Amino acid sequence: MVKQSIFGRIAQLAKANINAILDQAEDPGMMLDQMVRDYTNSIAEAESAIAQTIGNLRLLEQDYAEDVRNAADWGNKALAASRKADELRAGGNTADADKFDNLAKVALGRQLSAEREARTEGPNIQSQTAVVDQLKSGLDAMRGKLAQLSSKRDELIARSKTVDAQRQVQDAVKSIDLLDPTSELSRFEDKIRREEAKVLGQQELAASSLDAQFEALEASDEQIELDARLAALKAGSPAPRSITE
């Protein structure tokens, strides 16, 4: 019953359509991980069961071979006893000849028993051999499915990482678009132009202030000269000469 259950499970798993299962799964990655675990566990159980089945088959084969050997040995013993009986009977020793004939019959009976056991074991060996071959074939198919599952899982993981990387790039691009770096540069440029204009204004202001100081100085010199001439007039002295004269 256990063997039949394991055989049925091996056949079911070996025939499983992985792509169809994944198409129906909400989370293919999680489904693949679970399937890999299930297949790995089932393969381990199948290997143990198949090993036991093979062991039982080998025991049957050993018993069959032993029965065949026993049948041959008892046949040889029966032949030897029969020949001895013939020799004794030819020599006139009928009593001993009958004893050896009886031994030959006993040996022949043992031979028949061994042959019956061998004939009984033959079909069992054939059926067990067929079961073992099927189990081995199913196990190989399961191992192939497991390799396919592992490869599919690795492929999906790699594709998932690629999608994540692409999504990050797209998010970064969207973020850049929202920030509009050209507008930031324009604002920065406007700020620099305003600073430059301020410096120009300060320079111009400084220049106009310096001109005013020179004009004030010239006005002061003129006032001094006017005061000197006025004082000279009052004193009756001739007016002092202009600085430019």
Side-chain angles (χ1 to χ4, degrees), residues 50-118:
I50 293 173
Q52 183 63 51
T53 304
I54 293 174
N56 294 337
L57 174 60
R58 298 297 175 253
L59 288 176
L60 282 175
E61 291 173 343
Q62 291 174 8
D63 291 342
Y64 175 80
E66 184 177 359
D67 288 337
V68 171
R69 285 195 301 271
N70 288 338
D73 290 342
W74 286 116
N76 291 332
K77 290 177 180 179
L79 178 60
S82 176
R83 287 177 177 175
K84 184 65 175 178
D86 291 343
E87 290 178 5
L88 292 173
R89 189 168 286 107
N93 191 349
T94 305
D96 288 338
D98 290 341
K99 290 180 181 179
F100 276 97
D101 280 337
N102 288 333
L103 286 176
K105 290 179 181 180
V106 171
L108 289 171
R110 298 289 179 86
Q111 183 185 37
L112 288 173
S113 177
E115 289 176 350
R116 280 194 297 269
E117 290 182 6

Coordinates of all heavy atoms in Angstrom, one line a residue, residues 50-118:
I50 N 12.3 3.5 -2.8 CA 12.8 2.7 -3.9 C 14.0 1.8 -3.5 O 14.1 0.7 -3.9 CB 13.2 3.7 -5.1 CG1 12.0 4.3 -5.7 CG2 14.0 2.9 -6.2 CD1 12.3 5.4 -6.7
A51 N 14.8 2.4 -2.6 CA 16.0 1.6 -2.1 C 15.4 0.4 -1.4 O 16.0 -0.7 -1.5 CB 16.8 2.5 -1.2
Q52 N 14.4 0.5 -0.6 CA 13.8 -0.6 0.1 C 13.2 -1.6 -0.9 O 13.3 -2.8 -0.7 CB 12.7 -0.1 1.1 CG 12.0 -1.2 1.9 CD 13.1 -1.9 2.9 OE1 13.8 -1.2 3.6 NE2 13.1 -3.2 2.8
T53 N 12.5 -1.1 -1.9 CA 11.9 -2.0 -2.9 C 13.0 -2.7 -3.7 O 12.9 -3.9 -3.9 CB 11.1 -1.1 -3.9 OG1 10.1 -0.4 -3.2 CG2 10.4 -2.0 -4.9
I54 N 14.1 -2.0 -4.0 CA 15.2 -2.7 -4.7 C 15.8 -3.8 -3.7 O 16.2 -4.9 -4.2 CB 16.3 -1.7 -5.1 CG1 15.7 -0.8 -6.2 CG2 17.5 -2.4 -5.6 CD1 16.6 0.4 -6.6
G55 N 15.9 -3.4 -2.5 CA 16.5 -4.4 -1.5 C 15.6 -5.7 -1.4 O 16.1 -6.8 -1.4
N56 N 14.3 -5.5 -1.4 CA 13.4 -6.6 -1.4 C 13.5 -7.4 -2.6 O 13.4 -8.7 -2.6 CB 11.9 -6.1 -1.2 CG 11.7 -5.5 0.2 OD1 12.4 -5.8 1.1 ND2 10.7 -4.7 0.2
L57 N 13.7 -6.7 -3.8 CA 13.8 -7.4 -5.0 C 15.1 -8.3 -5.0 O 15.1 -9.4 -5.5 CB 13.9 -6.4 -6.2 CG 14.2 -7.0 -7.6 CD1 13.2 -8.0 -8.0 CD2 14.3 -5.9 -8.6
R58 N 16.2 -7.7 -4.5 CA 17.4 -8.5 -4.5 C 17.3 -9.7 -3.6 O 17.9 -10.7 -3.8 CB 18.6 -7.5 -4.0 CG 18.8 -6.4 -4.9 CD 19.3 -6.8 -6.3 NE 19.4 -5.7 -7.2 CZ 18.6 -5.4 -8.2 NH1 17.5 -6.2 -8.4 NH2 18.7 -4.3 -8.9
L59 N 16.6 -9.5 -2.5 CA 16.3 -10.7 -1.6 C 15.6 -11.8 -2.3 O 15.9 -13.0 -2.2 CB 15.6 -10.3 -0.3 CG 16.4 -9.4 0.7 CD1 15.4 -9.0 1.8 CD2 17.6 -10.2 1.2
L60 N 14.5 -11.4 -3.1 CA 13.8 -12.4 -3.9 C 14.7 -13.1 -4.9 O 14.6 -14.3 -5.1 CB 12.6 -11.7 -4.6 CG 11.4 -11.3 -3.8 CD1 10.4 -10.6 -4.6 CD2 10.7 -12.6 -3.3
E61 N 15.5 -12.3 -5.5 CA 16.5 -12.8 -6.5 C 17.4 -13.8 -5.8 O 17.8 -14.9 -6.4 CB 17.2 -11.7 -7.2 CG 16.4 -10.9 -8.1 CD 17.1 -9.7 -8.7 OE1 18.2 -9.3 -8.1 OE2 16.6 -9.1 -9.7
Q62 N 17.9 -13.5 -4.6 CA 18.8 -14.4 -3.9 C 18.1 -15.7 -3.5 O 18.6 -16.8 -3.7 CB 19.3 -13.7 -2.7 CG 20.3 -12.5 -2.9 CD 20.7 -11.8 -1.7 OE1 20.3 -12.2 -0.6 NE2 21.4 -10.7 -1.8
D63 N 16.8 -15.5 -3.1 CA 16.1 -16.7 -2.7 C 15.8 -17.6 -4.0 O 15.9 -18.8 -3.9 CB 14.7 -16.3 -2.1 CG 14.9 -15.7 -0.7 OD1 15.9 -15.9 -0.1 OD2 13.9 -15.0 -0.3
Y64 N 15.5 -16.9 -5.1 CA 15.3 -17.7 -6.3 C 16.5 -18.4 -6.7 O 16.5 -19.6 -7.1 CB 14.8 -16.7 -7.4 CG 14.7 -17.3 -8.8 CD1 13.5 -18.1 -9.1 CD2 15.7 -17.2 -9.7 CE1 13.4 -18.7 -10.3 CE2 15.5 -17.8 -11.0 CZ 14.4 -18.5 -11.3 OH 14.3 -19.1 -12.5
A65 N 17.7 -17.7 -6.7 CA 18.9 -18.3 -7.1 C 19.3 -19.5 -6.1 O 19.7 -20.6 -6.6 CB 20.0 -17.3 -7.0
E66 N 18.9 -19.3 -4.8 CA 19.2 -20.4 -3.9 C 18.3 -21.6 -4.2 O 18.8 -22.8 -4.1 CB 19.0 -19.9 -2.5 CG 19.3 -20.9 -1.4 CD 19.2 -20.4 0.0 OE1 18.8 -19.2 0.2 OE2 19.4 -21.2 1.0
D67 N 17.0 -21.3 -4.5 CA 16.1 -22.4 -4.8 C 16.6 -23.2 -6.0 O 16.5 -24.4 -6.1 CB 14.7 -21.9 -5.0 CG 14.1 -21.5 -3.7 OD1 14.5 -22.0 -2.6 OD2 13.1 -20.6 -3.7
V68 N 17.0 -22.4 -7.0 CA 17.5 -23.0 -8.3 C 18.7 -23.9 -8.0 O 18.9 -25.1 -8.5 CB 17.9 -22.0 -9.3 CG1 18.6 -22.6 -10.5 CG2 16.6 -21.3 -9.8
R69 N 19.6 -23.4 -7.1 CA 20.8 -24.2 -6.7 C 20.4 -25.4 -6.0 O 21.0 -26.5 -6.2 CB 21.8 -23.3 -5.9 CG 22.6 -22.3 -6.7 CD 23.7 -21.7 -5.9 NE 23.3 -21.1 -4.6 CZ 22.9 -19.9 -4.5 NH1 23.0 -19.1 -5.6 NH2 22.5 -19.4 -3.3
N70 N 19.5 -25.3 -5.0 CA 19.0 -26.4 -4.2 C 18.4 -27.5 -5.1 O 18.6 -28.7 -4.9 CB 18.0 -26.0 -3.2 CG 18.7 -25.2 -2.1 OD1 19.9 -25.3 -1.8 ND2 17.9 -24.4 -1.3
A71 N 17.6 -27.0 -6.1 CA 16.9 -28.0 -7.0 C 18.0 -28.7 -7.8 O 17.9 -30.0 -8.0 CB 16.0 -27.2 -8.0
A72 N 19.0 -28.0 -8.2 CA 20.1 -28.7 -9.0 C 20.9 -29.7 -8.0 O 21.2 -30.8 -8.4 CB 21.0 -27.7 -9.6
D73 N 21.1 -29.2 -6.8 CA 21.9 -30.1 -5.9 C 21.1 -31.3 -5.5 O 21.6 -32.5 -5.6 CB 22.2 -29.3 -4.6 CG 23.2 -28.2 -4.8 OD1 24.0 -28.3 -5.8 OD2 23.3 -27.3 -3.9
W74 N 19.8 -31.2 -5.2 CA 19.0 -32.4 -4.9 C 18.8 -33.3 -6.2 O 18.8 -34.5 -6.0 CB 17.6 -31.9 -4.4 CG 17.6 -31.4 -3.0 CD1 17.3 -30.2 -2.6 CD2 17.9 -32.1 -1.9 NE1 17.4 -30.0 -1.3 CE2 17.8 -31.3 -0.8 CE3 18.4 -33.5 -1.6 CZ2 18.1 -31.6 0.6 CZ3 18.6 -33.8 -0.3 CH2 18.5 -32.9 0.8
G75 N 18.8 -32.7 -7.3 CA 18.8 -33.5 -8.5 C 20.0 -34.3 -8.7 O 20.0 -35.5 -9.1
N76 N 21.2 -33.7 -8.4 CA 22.5 -34.4 -8.5 C 22.5 -35.5 -7.4 O 23.0 -36.7 -7.7 CB 23.6 -33.5 -8.3 CG 23.8 -32.5 -9.4 OD1 23.4 -32.8 -10.6 ND2 24.3 -31.3 -9.2
K77 N 22.0 -35.2 -6.2 CA 22.0 -36.2 -5.1 C 21.1 -37.4 -5.5 O 21.4 -38.6 -5.2 CB 21.5 -35.6 -3.8 CG 22.6 -34.7 -3.2 CD 22.1 -34.0 -2.0 CE 23.1 -33.0 -1.4 NZ 22.6 -32.4 -0.2
A78 N 19.9 -37.1 -6.1 CA 19.0 -38.1 -6.5 C 19.6 -39.0 -7.6 O 19.5 -40.2 -7.6 CB 17.7 -37.5 -7.1
L79 N 20.3 -38.4 -8.5 CA 21.0 -39.1 -9.6 C 22.1 -40.0 -9.0 O 22.2 -41.2 -9.4 CB 21.6 -38.2 -10.6 CG 22.4 -38.8 -11.8 CD1 21.5 -39.7 -12.6 CD2 23.0 -37.7 -12.7
A80 N 22.9 -39.5 -8.1 CA 23.9 -40.3 -7.4 C 23.4 -41.5 -6.7 O 23.9 -42.6 -6.7 CB 24.8 -39.4 -6.5
A81 N 22.3 -41.2 -5.9 CA 21.7 -42.3 -5.1 C 21.1 -43.4 -6.1 O 21.2 -44.6 -5.8 CB 20.6 -41.7 -4.2
S82 N 20.5 -42.9 -7.2 CA 19.9 -43.9 -8.1 C 21.0 -44.7 -8.8 O 20.8 -45.9 -8.9 CB 19.1 -43.1 -9.2 OG 18.6 -44.0 -10.2
R83 N 22.1 -44.1 -9.1 CA 23.2 -44.9 -9.7 C 23.7 -45.9 -8.7 O 24.1 -47.0 -9.1 CB 24.3 -43.9 -10.2 CG 23.9 -43.2 -11.5 CD 24.9 -42.2 -11.9 NE 24.6 -41.5 -13.1 CZ 25.3 -40.5 -13.7 NH1 26.4 -40.1 -13.0 NH2 24.9 -40.0 -14.8
K84 N 23.9 -45.4 -7.5 CA 24.4 -46.4 -6.4 C 23.4 -47.5 -6.2 O 23.9 -48.7 -6.1 CB 24.5 -45.6 -5.1 CG 25.1 -46.4 -4.0 CD 26.6 -46.8 -4.3 CE 27.2 -47.6 -3.2 NZ 28.6 -48.0 -3.5
A85 N 22.1 -47.2 -6.3 CA 21.1 -48.3 -6.2 C 21.3 -49.3 -7.3 O 21.2 -50.5 -7.2 CB 19.7 -47.7 -6.1
D86 N 21.5 -48.8 -8.5 CA 21.6 -49.6 -9.7 C 22.9 -50.5 -9.6 O 22.8 -51.7 -9.9 CB 21.7 -48.8 -11.0 CG 20.4 -48.1 -11.3 OD1 19.3 -48.5 -10.8 OD2 20.4 -47.1 -12.1
E87 N 23.9 -49.9 -9.0 CA 25.2 -50.7 -8.9 C 25.0 -51.8 -7.9 O 25.4 -53.0 -8.1 CB 26.3 -49.8 -8.4 CG 26.8 -48.8 -9.4 CD 27.9 -47.9 -8.9 OE1 28.3 -48.1 -7.7 OE2 28.3 -47.0 -9.6
L88 N 24.3 -51.5 -6.7 CA 24.1 -52.5 -5.7 C 23.1 -53.6 -6.2 O 23.3 -54.8 -5.9 CB 23.5 -51.8 -4.5 CG 24.4 -50.9 -3.7 CD1 23.7 -50.1 -2.6 CD2 25.6 -51.7 -3.1
R89 N 22.1 -53.2 -7.0 CA 21.1 -54.1 -7.5 C 21.8 -55.0 -8.5 O 21.5 -56.3 -8.6 CB 19.9 -53.4 -8.1 CG 18.8 -54.3 -8.4 CD 17.5 -53.6 -8.8 NE 16.9 -53.0 -7.6 CZ 16.9 -51.7 -7.3 NH1 17.5 -50.9 -8.1 NH2 16.3 -51.3 -6.1
A90 N 22.7 -54.5 -9.3 CA 23.4 -55.3 -10.3 C 24.4 -56.3 -9.6 O 24.6 -57.4 -10.1 CB 24.3 -54.4 -11.2
G91 N 24.8 -55.9 -8.4 CA 25.7 -56.8 -7.6 C 24.9 -57.8 -6.7 O 25.5 -58.6 -6.0
G92 N 23.6 -57.8 -6.8 CA 22.7 -58.7 -6.1 C 22.3 -58.2 -4.7 O 21.7 -58.9 -3.9
N93 N 22.7 -56.9 -4.3 CA 22.4 -56.4 -3.0 C 21.1 -55.6 -3.1 O 21.1 -54.4 -3.2 CB 23.5 -55.5 -2.5 CG 23.4 -55.2 -1.0 OD1 22.3 -55.4 -0.5 ND2 24.4 -54.6 -0.4
T94 N 20.0 -56.3 -3.2 CA 18.7 -55.7 -3.4 C 18.3 -54.8 -2.2 O 17.7 -53.7 -2.4 CB 17.6 -56.7 -3.6 OG1 18.0 -57.6 -4.7 CG2 16.3 -56.1 -4.0
A95 N 18.6 -55.2 -1.0 CA 18.1 -54.4 0.2 C 18.8 -53.0 0.2 O 18.1 -52.0 0.4 CB 18.5 -55.2 1.4
D96 N 20.1 -53.0 0.0 CA 20.8 -51.7 0.0 C 20.4 -50.9 -1.2 O 20.3 -49.6 -1.1 CB 22.3 -51.9 0.1 CG 22.7 -52.4 1.4 OD1 22.0 -52.2 2.4 OD2 23.8 -53.0 1.5
A97 N 20.1 -51.6 -2.3 CA 19.7 -50.9 -3.5 C 18.4 -50.2 -3.3 O 18.2 -49.0 -3.7 CB 19.6 -51.9 -4.7
D98 N 17.5 -50.9 -2.6 CA 16.2 -50.2 -2.3 C 16.4 -49.0 -1.4 O 15.7 -48.0 -1.6 CB 15.3 -51.2 -1.6 CG 14.8 -52.3 -2.6 OD1 14.9 -52.1 -3.8 OD2 14.4 -53.4 -2.1
K99 N 17.3 -49.1 -0.5 CA 17.6 -47.9 0.4 C 18.0 -46.7 -0.4 O 17.6 -45.6 -0.2 CB 18.6 -48.3 1.5 CG 18.1 -49.3 2.5 CD 19.2 -49.6 3.5 CE 18.8 -50.6 4.6 NZ 19.8 -50.9 5.6
F100 N 18.9 -47.0 -1.3 CA 19.4 -45.8 -2.1 C 18.4 -45.3 -3.1 O 18.3 -44.1 -3.4 CB 20.7 -46.3 -2.9 CG 21.9 -46.2 -2.1 CD1 22.4 -47.3 -1.4 CD2 22.6 -44.9 -1.9 CE1 23.6 -47.2 -0.6 CE2 23.8 -44.9 -1.2 CZ 24.3 -46.0 -0.5
D101 N 17.5 -46.2 -3.6 CA 16.4 -45.7 -4.4 C 15.5 -44.9 -3.6 O 14.9 -43.8 -4.1 CB 15.6 -46.9 -5.0 CG 16.3 -47.5 -6.2 OD1 17.1 -46.8 -6.8 OD2 16.0 -48.7 -6.5
N102 N 15.2 -45.3 -2.3 CA 14.4 -44.4 -1.4 C 15.1 -43.0 -1.2 O 14.4 -42.0 -1.2 CB 14.2 -45.1 -0.1 CG 13.2 -46.3 -0.3 OD1 12.4 -46.3 -1.2 ND2 13.3 -47.3 0.6
L103 N 16.4 -43.1 -1.0 CA 17.1 -41.8 -0.9 C 17.0 -40.9 -2.1 O 16.8 -39.7 -2.0 CB 18.6 -42.1 -0.6 CG 18.9 -42.6 0.8 CD1 20.4 -42.9 1.0 CD2 18.6 -41.5 1.9
A104 N 17.0 -41.6 -3.3 CA 16.9 -40.9 -4.5 C 15.5 -40.2 -4.6 O 15.4 -39.1 -5.1 CB 17.1 -41.8 -5.7
K105 N 14.5 -41.0 -4.1 CA 13.1 -40.4 -4.1 C 13.0 -39.2 -3.2 O 12.4 -38.2 -3.5 CB 12.1 -41.4 -3.7 CG 11.9 -42.5 -4.8 CD 10.9 -43.6 -4.3 CE 10.7 -44.7 -5.3 NZ 9.7 -45.7 -4.8
V106 N 13.6 -39.3 -2.0 CA 13.6 -38.2 -1.1 C 14.3 -37.0 -1.7 O 13.8 -35.8 -1.6 CB 14.3 -38.6 0.2 CG1 14.5 -37.3 1.1 CG2 13.5 -39.6 1.0
A107 N 15.4 -37.2 -2.4 CA 16.2 -36.1 -3.0 C 15.3 -35.5 -4.1 O 15.3 -34.3 -4.3 CB 17.5 -36.6 -3.6
L108 N 14.6 -36.4 -4.9 CA 13.8 -35.9 -6.0 C 12.6 -35.0 -5.4 O 12.2 -34.0 -6.0 CB 13.2 -37.0 -6.8 CG 14.2 -37.7 -7.7 CD1 13.6 -39.0 -8.3 CD2 14.7 -36.8 -8.8
G109 N 12.1 -35.5 -4.2 CA 11.0 -34.7 -3.6 C 11.5 -33.3 -3.2 O 10.8 -32.3 -3.3
R110 N 12.7 -33.3 -2.6 CA 13.3 -31.9 -2.3 C 13.6 -31.1 -3.5 O 13.4 -29.9 -3.5 CB 14.6 -32.2 -1.5 CG 14.5 -32.9 -0.2 CD 13.9 -32.1 0.9 NE 13.8 -32.8 2.1 CZ 14.7 -32.9 3.0 NH1 15.9 -32.3 2.8 NH2 14.5 -33.6 4.2
Q111 N 13.9 -31.8 -4.6 CA 14.2 -31.1 -5.8 C 12.9 -30.4 -6.3 O 12.8 -29.3 -6.7 CB 14.7 -32.0 -6.9 CG 15.0 -31.3 -8.2 CD 15.5 -32.3 -9.3 OE1 15.0 -33.4 -9.4 NE2 16.4 -31.8 -10.1
L112 N 11.8 -31.2 -6.3 CA 10.5 -30.7 -6.7 C 10.1 -29.5 -5.9 O 9.5 -28.5 -6.4 CB 9.4 -31.8 -6.6 CG 9.5 -32.9 -7.7 CD1 8.5 -34.0 -7.4 CD2 9.2 -32.3 -9.1
S113 N 10.3 -29.6 -4.5 CA 9.9 -28.5 -3.6 C 10.7 -27.2 -4.0 O 10.1 -26.1 -4.0 CB 10.2 -28.9 -2.2 OG 9.9 -27.9 -1.3
A114 N 12.0 -27.4 -4.2 CA 12.8 -26.2 -4.6 C 12.4 -25.6 -5.9 O 12.3 -24.4 -6.1 CB 14.3 -26.6 -4.6
E115 N 12.0 -26.5 -6.8 CA 11.6 -26.0 -8.2 C 10.2 -25.2 -8.0 O 10.0 -24.2 -8.7 CB 11.4 -27.2 -9.1 CG 12.8 -27.7 -9.6 CD 12.6 -29.0 -10.4 OE1 11.5 -29.5 -10.5 OE2 13.6 -29.4 -11.0
R116 N 9.3 -25.8 -7.2 CA 8.0 -25.1 -7.0 C 8.3 -23.7 -6.4 O 7.6 -22.7 -6.8 CB 7.1 -25.9 -6.1 CG 6.4 -27.0 -6.8 CD 5.3 -27.6 -6.0 NE 5.7 -28.1 -4.7 CZ 6.1 -29.4 -4.6 NH1 6.0 -30.2 -5.6 NH2 6.5 -29.9 -3.4
E117 N 9.1 -23.6 -5.4 CA 9.4 -22.3 -4.8 C 10.1 -21.3 -5.8 O 9.7 -20.2 -5.8 CB 10.4 -22.5 -3.6 CG 9.7 -23.2 -2.4 CD 10.7 -23.3 -1.2 OE1 11.8 -22.7 -1.3 OE2 10.3 -23.9 -0.2
A118 N 11.0 -21.9 -6.6 CA 11.6 -21.0 -7.7 C 10.5 -20.5 -8.7 O 10.6 -19.4 -9.1 CB 12.7 -21.8 -8.4

